[in-house]
Amino acid sequence: MYDLTGFQRDLLYVIAGEDEPHGLAIKEELEQYYEKEIHHGRLYPNLDTLVDKGLVEKGRRDRRTNFYTLTRRGRRELEARRDWETQYVDL
């Protein structure tokens, strides 16, 4: 996780919190969080990076729509990140 950008980590969190979200659903969720538009040119290359790193799997729902899920490694990375964070922030 140390080599991911904050945006890429946020993508992982959104994917983890949804059931096989498609790109547009991920985009809409992040736009609510960031309170600004997320451009396709930012979203999809970062999703592809997560796929290339083995943290996310990309599936095909139909000819135009892909969906995303965390891999086991992606889930382990999120859990490790949460453990690391709680060392420093205990809310």
Side-chain angles (χ1 to χ4, degrees), residues 21-74:
H22 52 84
L24 188 57
I26 295 167
K27 179 181 179 293
E28 290 171 353
E29 189 67 31
L30 286 174
E31 285 176 341
Q32 284 185 324
Y33 177 71
Y34 287 127
E35 297 181 346
K36 66 179 188 176
E37 184 179 359
I38 304 296
H39 297 281
H40 287 69
R42 181 178 187 200
L43 177 68
Y44 291 102
N46 280 286
L47 285 169
D48 288 340
T49 296
L50 296 175
V51 170
D52 292 343
K53 289 181 177 284
L55 301 170
V56 170
E57 276 186 354
K58 178 166 66 171
R60 183 166 248 183
R61 187 162 287 137
D62 59 41
R63 288 181 16 179
R64 294 188 56 207
T65 307
N66 294 320
F67 66 87
Y68 299 87
T69 58
L70 287 187
T71 62
R72 272 187 264 159
R73 179 174 173 226

